[in-house]
Amino acid sequence: DVKVTQSSRYLVKRTGEKVFLECVQDMDHENMFWYRQDPGLGLRLIYFSYDVKMKEKGDIPEGYSVSREKKERFSLILESASTNQTSMYLCASGGQPYNEQFFGPGTRLTVL
Amino acid sequence: GQNIDQPTEMTATEGAIVQINCTYQTSGFNGLFWYQQHAGEAPTFLSYNVLDGLEEKGRFSSFLSRSKGYSYLLLKELQMKDSASYLCAGLDSNYQLIWGAGTKLIIKP
């Protein structure tokens, strides 16, 4: 059974803190993605990766960085969290660009 | 620019049929996806269309017209559990998904 897991369902951090969100997939997919989802705005792509140690900026990379040291793991890093980064963060993986993406359960991050 | 348009919210009655429309403008086109997302949960895949026409999958069908930049998702015999948001996403020439904001479907008894 296809599975994408994320390290936390809910997270509360303070402004200026460094935040790590981790995503693990067990499907041997090459492609992994980080999105944020805000009401009325839909899913917005932050970063994606098509291979180990490879990363590409999405539509809204500012304030974020990523790491992909192993094929199954893709981490999103907020170097210095700000209140406008309060959002739902969704990780996804996909075997090919045109195959469906499988999503993790999401992490609801609140930055105070 | 690239854009996906779909209605913000729709209401339908249990047992009825509802059609959720989506228009898209993408740089190149490699197909169109529909996802379902229940409140507080992750999106799950419903359908993928790359050729014109209707694809039927049980109570759900998806239609694509590439010449019109248009797709719809048709849900038949609506059930209360179909209350969810439905996300339309176009795959552009770089194989990146361009997402719509989603249509919240409310089912009434």
Side-chain angles (χ1 to χ4, degrees):
Chain A
D1 198 20
V2 161
K3 202 155 190 183
V4 180
T5 56
Q6 294 183 227
S7 47
S8 307
R9 288 301 303 271
Y10 300 93
L11 209 52
V12 179
K13 294 291 181 181
R14 299 214 172 268
T15 302
E17 279 192 87
K18 192 168 186 174
V19 182
F20 291 90
L21 302 181
E22 197 161 68
C23 175
V24 179
Q25 52 100 357
D26 65 0
M27 296 160 284
D28 202 33
H29 284 163
E30 292 82 16
N31 310 323
M32 296 188 76
F33 307 83
W34 274 108
Y35 294 93
R36 65 177 282 177
Q37 187 175 33
D38 301 287
L41 294 179
L43 286 164
R44 292 183 291 168
L45 183 64
I46 305 171
Y47 267 97
F48 61 99
S49 170
Y50 285 151
D51 203 351
V52 175
K53 296 195 185 293
M54 178 271 181
K55 59 186 177 185
E56 293 282 346
K57 291 180 180 178
D59 300 318
I60 51 162
E62 297 78 21
Y64 304 95
S65 62
V66 290
S67 172
R68 189 147 182 220
E69 295 297 317
K70 293 185 178 181
K71 189 176 186 180
E72 67 272 17
R73 198 174 296 266
F74 193 34
S75 302
L76 180 69
I77 303 147
L78 287 67
E79 292 291 341
S80 178
S82 63
T83 54
N84 63 12
Q85 292 179 310
T86 291
S87 187
M88 170 69 88
Y89 289 88
L90 287 159
C91 173
S93 75
Q96 297 173 41
Y98 40 82
N99 280 354
E100 69 266 28
Q101 291 181 18
F102 297 90
F103 285 84
T107 296
R108 187 164 291 284
L109 173 67
T110 302
V111 183
L112 302 174
Chain B
Q2 306 198 90
N3 196 48
I4 304 284
D5 280 319
Q6 53 182 130
T8 305
E9 189 174 292
M10 298 181 71
T11 302
T13 306
E14 192 177 14
I17 298 173
V18 72
Q19 178 175 309
I20 303 174
N21 295 325
C22 169
T23 57
Y24 64 87
Q25 281 181 303
T26 55
S27 301
F29 180 74
N30 281 301
L32 192 119
F33 288 84
W34 284 97
Y35 281 77
Q36 180 190 59
Q37 186 177 26
H38 285 101
E41 297 182 12
T44 55
F45 169 80
L46 285 177
S47 67
Y48 170 67
N49 293 65
V50 67
L51 299 176
D52 287 351
L54 187 69
E55 297 254 353
E56 296 187 67
K57 217 188 263 187
R59 293 189 300 114
F60 291 12
S61 303
S62 55
F63 172 83
L64 177 68
S65 168
R66 288 175 299 174
S67 62
K68 295 182 179 176
Y70 167 70
S71 173
Y72 67 72
L73 182 69
L74 191 72
L75 292 75
K76 301 177 188 174
E77 299 167 19
L78 286 169
Q79 302 175 9
M80 298 303 293
K81 68 178 182 179
D82 298 330
S83 291
S85 287
Y86 291 86
L87 312 180
C88 175
L91 197 61
D92 71 10
S93 56
N94 293 320
Y95 292 97
Q96 288 224 37
L97 275 175
I98 311 302
W99 293 86
T103 298
K104 184 178 179 181
L105 178 63
I106 300 166
I107 310 295
K108 295 187 173 177

